[in-house]
Amino acid sequence: MAESHGRPPEPFTLRLRRYDPESGEAPYWDEHTIELEPHRSVLEAILQARDRFDGSIGIRCSCRQAICGSCGVRVNGEPALACHTHLDAARRSARDGVIEIEPMGNMPVIKDLIVDMDAVHWKKIQRVTPWLIGKQPVPEREYLVPRESMVDVTQTMACIQCGACVSDCLAMEVDPLFIGPAALAKAYRFVGDPRDDEHFVRLNDLAQDQHGMFDCTHCFKCVDACPKDVNPMGQIMRLRRIATADHHIVDQNNGERHEAAFASLIRDNGLLWEAELLPRSYGGNSWLGKFHPRAGKELISSLPSIVKALLRGKVTPMGALKPHRIPKQDLKSVQSIYERIDGRDRSSGQRFELNLYIVGEDEPPPPEEPVVAAVVAEAGASAAEPPGGLATEGEQPAEPTSPEGSTSE
Ligand code: SF4
Ligand code: SF4
Ligand code: FES
């Protein structure tokens, strides 16, 4: 970005999504060409278009410094803070040189680029009791906690409530009642806080809710969308781990058993075997589990999707029924990770978290890079994912550069 400083103003064309629900007219695209230095922000360009050409363009903003979270939009289809997106970068990512700006997704449009945050985002934040419920008796002075214990929650505290993660959440697209990434990250902010007295109540509530923590499909969209590296999906995974491993919560949505079945299938085969996932989720690892009544019920309700997948050639009967396995040698490596986790000394209270990351490029695939690398990271410590990347086992993770960069993922 530094090279673009000092460059003279240039023309940039914006294509804005316009919509006024009160007008009764359909949404439409509106184009304006403005002139600004390339390092200026998309927000400045929208404001210039509003000042020069059309005072009715609706955009919300305040700080213009990526702090207040009010200018969330979609730039070329991706969620972004308009004030934190440089014009030259936006033009580079545009498909035809025109910067396309739309309102955020998963929230109703009030006007043009302004969405109704109250109707979705803030309602969901309220749902998770977003304040500390202090331990009793209340101390005469402030609650004292060890400094290290707060490191764990600083990442979620970096959230500016911009709604970018909500905008891109795939689970929310399918189930608008899903509590969602921002609110669940907020919930972790208190579950991870040693001063809060309601950890179990909070976790049980979010686990038993049909639209709660187990509704997340682990798609990483919120991780990519977040301008503050809050890693909402990582916080949801932490909620799940603490709920199931520490508080032994077994939820009515079968989320806990589904995860256990998933993990046991990877341990046994090195790959997910979808046909076995359902019976194991309901009936455990035993062969008889296949005949668990709830597994049968679930299977019947899934039949339309299964038939559709068969008809479209996405699965074949043999492909579904035959166990999916990786080569023996690779399977041993996968199983050694499980052995390391299972064999840990639990008396020390030390937590280990296992994460699988897909590494490498989509286009073109680098032939020599591994497809999947496993990372075993010590939780609670400030071990961080290296910026934009991954550590393989045995490598030292990079030092976090800021509190929000620190993660135990
Ligand atoms: S990872 Fe989960 S919470 Fe995040 S966008 Fe995907 S489904 Fe939504
Ligand atoms: S988690 Fe990130 S993307 Fe989501 S509201 Fe907070 S800052 Fe915005
Ligand atoms: S105007 Fe405040 S975050 Fe963009």
Side-chain angles (χ1 to χ4, degrees):
M1 244 10 90
E3 311 136 20
S4 62
H5 278 271
R7 271 165 50 188
E10 288 175 30
F12 289 90
T13 306
L14 311 179
R15 188 181 293 129
L16 303 171
R17 188 76 169 162
R18 306 292 306 273
Y19 179 48
D20 182 356
E22 287 180 7
S23 73
E25 286 171 24
Y28 62 98
W29 292 102
D30 190 15
E31 281 193 15
H32 295 292
T33 300
I34 53 86
E35 276 206 13
L36 274 174
E37 292 88 347
H39 71 275
R40 300 286 191 154
S41 71
V42 167
L43 177 63
E44 287 174 285
I46 300 169
L47 295 178
Q48 192 185 99
R50 192 178 68 177
D51 291 346
R52 288 201 183 162
F53 308 115
D54 185 347
S56 72
I57 295 172
I59 172 80
R60 183 163 42 209
C61 63
S62 180
C63 70
R64 306 192 192 187
Q65 297 181 60
I67 293 169
C68 73
S70 54
C71 67
V73 288
R74 271 187 171 152
V75 177
N76 301 323
E78 301 294 334
L81 294 175
C83 73
H84 196 48
T85 308
H86 293 262
L87 278 169
D88 51 355
R91 183 166 57 193
R92 273 199 302 276
S93 68
R95 70 194 144 88
D96 57 0
V98 176
I99 302 167
E100 216 164 80
I101 305 153
E102 299 168 83
M104 288 194 289
N106 287 334
M107 286 175 266
V109 174
I110 294 178
K111 185 170 185 301
D112 299 335
L113 304 173
I114 305 170
V115 294
D116 190 348
M117 300 277 285
D118 283 343
V120 180
H121 176 71
W122 290 113
K123 204 162 136 194
K124 288 171 190 294
I125 294 284
Q126 287 301 321
R127 161 70 186 82
V128 301
T129 319
W131 56 84
L132 190 94
I133 301 171
K135 290 201 164 123
Q136 300 295 331
V138 177
E140 276 180 28
R141 293 178 63 104
E142 66 272 23
Y143 289 98
L144 293 179
V145 288
R147 200 178 153 274
E148 316 76 71
S149 63
M150 293 307 286
V151 170
D152 195 36
V153 291
T154 49
Q155 196 176 18
T156 56
M157 287 159 75
C159 174
I160 56 169
Q161 308 297 345
C162 66
C165 55
V166 173
S167 163
D168 244 28
C169 176
L170 294 184
M172 213 179 249
E173 245 177 82
V174 179
D175 174 13
L177 296 177
F178 174 39
I179 294 174
L184 288 170
K186 187 73 176 173
Y188 185 74
R189 189 255 166 272
F190 299 106
V191 165
D193 192 321
R195 297 167 300 172
D196 192 89
D197 202 25
E198 297 278 330
H199 291 172
F200 175 82
V201 177
R202 288 177 190 273
L203 289 163
N204 195 41
D205 171 38
L206 297 172
Q208 304 299 351
D209 190 321
Q210 266 192 325
H211 314 284
M213 63 169 89
F214 287 108
D215 222 8
C216 166
T217 56
H218 217 186
C219 73
F220 282 79
K221 283 286 213 177
C222 55
V223 181
D224 292 342
C226 181
K228 294 290 171 184
D229 290 332
V230 170
N231 183 11
M233 187 190 80
Q235 312 308 334
I236 298 171
M237 296 308 126
R238 286 166 158 188
L239 287 173
R240 289 185 185 179
R241 286 175 199 132
I242 299 174
T244 55
D246 296 358
H247 292 275
H248 309 289
I249 294 170
V250 178
D251 59 293
Q252 58 172 1
N253 309 305
N254 208 33
E256 184 266 345
R257 284 185 294 263
H258 180 80
E259 276 203 350
F262 205 109
S264 74
L265 276 168
I266 302 291
R267 187 185 49 216
D268 294 350
N269 303 310
L271 279 176
L272 178 63
W273 179 19
E274 295 86 348
E276 184 68 7
L277 184 61
L278 196 137
R280 275 201 197 190
S281 299
Y282 286 99
N285 286 352
S286 81
W287 187 82
L288 277 174
K290 292 184 178 41
F291 304 100
H292 193 285
R294 282 183 65 191
K297 217 170 129 197
E298 189 73 22
L299 183 66
I300 290 166
S301 74
S302 308
L303 273 179
S305 312
I306 296 170
V307 171
K308 219 183 273 176
L310 284 168
L311 290 176
R312 288 183 182 167
K314 288 192 172 171
V315 285
T316 58
M318 270 320 283
L321 296 173
K322 221 172 95 195
H324 304 173
R325 279 220 173 92
I326 57 174
K328 222 172 174 183
Q329 208 44 41
D330 295 339
L331 183 58
K332 271 192 184 162
S333 309
V334 170
Q335 289 172 344
S336 72
I337 299 170
Y338 280 77
E339 280 156 24
R340 187 169 160 192
I341 300 284
D342 290 344
R344 70 193 189 274
D345 177 12
R346 287 163 200 256
S347 61
S348 66
Q350 201 183 20
R351 181 189 294 278
F352 284 85
E353 293 180 4
L354 170 70
N355 288 287
L356 293 174
Y357 293 96
I358 307 297
V359 296
E361 301 290 328
D362 278 351
E363 300 279 348
E368 65 288 324
E369 276 191 71
V371 180
V372 176
V375 184
V376 181
E378 205 176 306
S382 58
E385 291 167 29
L390 313 156
T392 47
E393 208 173 348
E395 278 179 357
Q396 279 301 310
E399 283 296 314
T401 52
S402 62
E404 68 265 27
S406 99
T407 169
S408 55
E409 270 304 291

